[in-house]
Amino acid sequence: MVQCAKQFLHIMSGYFPNVSKIEFEGPDSDNPLAFRHYNPDELVAGKSMKNHLRFGAAYWHCMRNPLGDPFGVGTALMPWDDGSESLDNALVRVPVFFEFLEKSRIDYYCFHDRDVSPEGATWAETHANLERVTQELKGAQEGSGKKLLWGTACLFAHPRYAQGAATAPSADVFAYAASQVKHALEATHALGGAGYVFWGGREGYASLINTDMKRELDHLAQFLHMAVDHARKIGFTGQFYIEPKPREPSTHQYDSDAAACLNFLREYDLLDHLKLNIETNHAELAGHTMEHELDVASAAGALGSIDANRGDQLIGWDTDQFPTNIYLCANIMLRVLKMNGGQGFTTGGLNFDAKRRRESHLPEDLFHAHVGGMDAFARGLKIAARIVEDGRFDEFVKARYASFDSGVGAEIESGATDLNALNSYALGIEPPVLDSGRQEMLENLLNDYL
Ligand code: XUL
Ligand code: CO
């Protein structure tokens, strides 16, 4: 009944009556709800902007984040939402979200199981709720052409996961988590998801005083192997990802950064099955730059997807702000353009894992936030494409390492030499003379492209 009334409201005016479909109006537009740079079908380096960028919206931030903080309750106005954890209310949110995707021209979305469907009175009812909402999402996808970039399971919000999920000290909690992932994976598969993410919610520890780290890591690896095996059984061929983050909610997360994730995947023979989903704010919390994390993942052939947001240098936590820094977006897109041997994203995309500030509580602020992020990345893409096309950075870096292209350098790279041979070689040459690294010259050159 409630659902019918809400749907009637939608037919009358839409859930975002103050916002019409966002159009590309070019850089001179003064319309705050128009794209100045993101022109979805415009070709950049031979491919449409929408196919380069593969923007995704996060169901959790758009539909479920009330914008609360530790000092105050949520401020977000969501007139369609009755605030209940009912299945009816969950079903009401689906067309709201798809109207948002349609009007903002975002082609993909991502969700946790518990963002889209509530826990039931029993565990079986919880699964049934997800199946019901999955049908609704499927219908909405078919009606709109929108696609699922990735799905995931929320293994961190419910009190049963307070001490971890796959790394909990309780085997029954592990079993619940496994059961939850089975269903989340099947929902993702039913929706044609291009990927499935494991972000290590509470897979970490608050203190080592009560923790068997080795055992917990072994369990996490078993868990991921089971997910990979189940994907095979049900025919899911999407890409699995791990999303690194150093802390929050745990004091120490096992997936602390790209290097830690890669080491874990390699140690447990999972590197063929999982790539990394790198998030800007997480990179910063790990004491790295986003560029560093992307390069670490990429060097291992494991860069898969990106959670696009930003942190705040004055605040030490995961603020999940919308990306606006064009310099950073250009540096990110430089790396995306070079992914997968120059193909860019294949399964991945730019998911706005970002939320409005608590002060931006009106529904239309969702649009301002995403339009700004999309325009910032559109500019980043165009800048990056010019840099790649000009080739001056690539030439400089190639020339910097040219001594490894032939002679003794080539022998070092191919493993054809040893310490004795290099000792004789070093004794026979003049002391090495270095060329300048020219960091400042290159920083100036980068600014020229902006
Ligand atoms: C948490 C975070 C998650 C993952 C999905 O910081 O980034 O929302 O992206 O679980
Ligand atoms: Co994220």
Side-chain angles (χ1 to χ4, degrees):
M1 193 57 212
V2 176
Q3 205 195 336
C4 287
K6 298 262 165 107
Q7 270 166 0
F8 181 68
L9 175 78
H10 169 59
I11 291 160
M12 293 302 289
S13 57
Y15 296 103
F16 302 97
N18 303 336
V19 183
S20 42
K21 194 162 177 169
I22 312 292
E23 300 292 345
F24 171 71
E25 293 183 6
D28 296 332
S29 170
D30 59 6
N31 174 2
L33 282 181
F35 294 119
R36 288 169 180 65
H37 306 278
Y38 181 57
N39 189 9
D41 294 312
E42 182 182 326
L43 294 185
V44 174
K47 192 159 104 179
S48 67
M49 294 181 85
K50 67 176 181 211
N51 286 341
H52 274 293
L53 295 161
R54 291 168 60 93
F55 288 126
Y59 206 97
W60 55 101
H61 284 312
C62 294
M63 302 310 298
R64 306 309 311 278
N65 197 326
L67 307 180
D69 71 14
F71 300 92
V73 296
T75 58
L77 293 184
M78 302 188 230
W80 51 82
D81 195 305
D82 68 13
S84 73
E85 281 299 325
S86 68
L87 179 60
D88 267 352
N89 197 26
L91 293 169
V92 164
R93 293 184 195 111
V94 173
V96 181
F97 185 62
F98 277 77
E99 182 183 326
F100 164 72
L101 293 179
E102 186 62 27
K103 285 186 168 172
S104 62
R105 293 179 187 268
I106 293 177
D107 298 323
Y108 294 87
Y109 71 106
C110 302
F111 69 83
H112 303 80
D113 49 3
R114 288 298 84 80
D115 306 330
V116 297
S117 80
E119 293 259 346
T122 62
W123 195 228
E125 191 182 306
T126 298
H127 295 328
N129 285 347
L130 179 60
E131 271 166 41
R132 174 67 192 91
V133 181
T134 299
Q135 284 170 9
E136 201 74 2
L137 290 167
K138 195 162 190 212
Q141 283 184 208
E142 282 162 7
S144 63
K146 303 297 175 189
K147 295 190 195 110
L148 180 61
L149 189 64
W150 48 260
T152 186
C154 175
L155 301 177
F156 45 90
H158 193 281
R160 79 173 72 87
Y161 299 125
Q163 301 181 32
T167 63
S170 153
D172 285 357
V173 170
F174 185 109
Y176 254 69
S179 159
Q180 202 176 318
V181 165
K182 169 183 148 66
H183 289 271
L185 192 52
E186 287 169 5
T188 301
H189 182 42
L191 294 169
Y196 186 92
V197 162
F198 290 94
W199 164 60
R202 292 182 192 273
E203 313 296 19
Y205 58 80
S207 172
L208 286 175
I209 208 157
N210 57 8
T211 301
D212 186 335
M213 188 194 282
K214 170 80 172 100
R215 223 166 161 183
E216 292 199 359
L217 288 169
D218 288 350
H219 296 169
L220 182 57
Q222 291 291 5
F223 193 81
L224 296 178
H225 273 292
M226 286 181 210
V228 167
D229 290 347
H230 192 69
R232 235 183 245 129
K233 273 180 213 148
I234 63 175
F236 175 71
T237 54
Q239 177 64 51
F240 281 107
Y241 308 102
I242 287 201
E243 181 178 323
K245 183 177 182 182
R247 58 183 162 276
E248 241 195 280
S250 300
T251 307
H252 177 92
Q253 302 272 133
Y254 291 133
D255 306 332
S256 54
D257 64 3
C261 287
L262 289 169
N263 180 58
F264 170 83
L265 294 175
R266 210 170 263 128
E267 181 175 351
Y268 289 101
D269 205 15
L270 284 157
L271 204 47
D272 287 345
H273 307 293
L274 290 101
K275 289 187 171 175
L276 301 186
N277 180 38
I278 304 289
E279 176 165 326
T280 321
N281 206 162
H282 297 177
E284 289 165 4
L285 291 175
H288 302 307
T289 61
M290 179 61 168
E291 294 91 318
H292 169 93
E293 288 292 83
L294 293 172
D295 283 356
V296 169
S298 174
L303 176 56
S305 198
I306 289 177
D307 268 11
N309 61 15
R310 75 173 208 267
D312 186 320
Q313 298 209 318
L314 303 180
I315 301 178
W317 66 83
D318 197 15
T319 60
D320 276 351
Q321 285 166 251
F322 277 85
T324 52
N325 181 334
I326 293 154
Y327 194 88
L328 178 57
C329 291
N331 271 309
I332 292 173
M333 288 314 296
L334 255 181
R335 287 156 176 86
V336 170
L337 287 175
K338 293 180 180 178
M339 274 173 76
N340 300 309
Q343 281 186 81
F345 288 125
T346 48
T347 56
L350 291 169
N351 168 46
F352 290 114
D353 190 355
K355 63 183 184 223
R356 297 165 283 157
R357 296 307 85 196
R358 193 165 181 271
E359 294 88 334
S360 311
H361 59 287
L362 296 178
E364 57 265 31
D365 287 312
L366 268 180
F367 290 88
H368 288 291
H370 286 84
V371 164
M374 293 162 84
D375 260 354
F377 267 100
R379 290 173 86 173
L381 166 63
K382 288 186 173 175
I383 292 162
R386 275 193 283 128
I387 291 175
V388 171
E389 198 194 339
D390 278 8
R392 282 191 276 174
F393 283 96
D394 286 342
E395 273 163 37
F396 181 90
V397 175
K398 191 166 172 11
R400 192 166 183 229
Y401 295 88
S403 63
F404 287 94
D405 290 342
S406 60
V408 71
E411 283 171 19
I412 292 169
E413 284 199 348
S414 68
T417 184
D418 61 15
L419 290 187
N420 282 332
L422 288 174
N423 178 49
S424 310
Y425 174 82
L427 287 168
I429 56 172
E430 295 296 318
V433 181
L434 288 171
D435 281 335
S436 168
R438 296 253 192 269
Q439 179 177 332
E440 296 77 8
M441 184 197 83
L442 295 169
E443 285 169 348
N444 299 346
L445 175 60
L446 186 54
N447 275 351
D448 281 350
Y449 288 97
L450 302 173

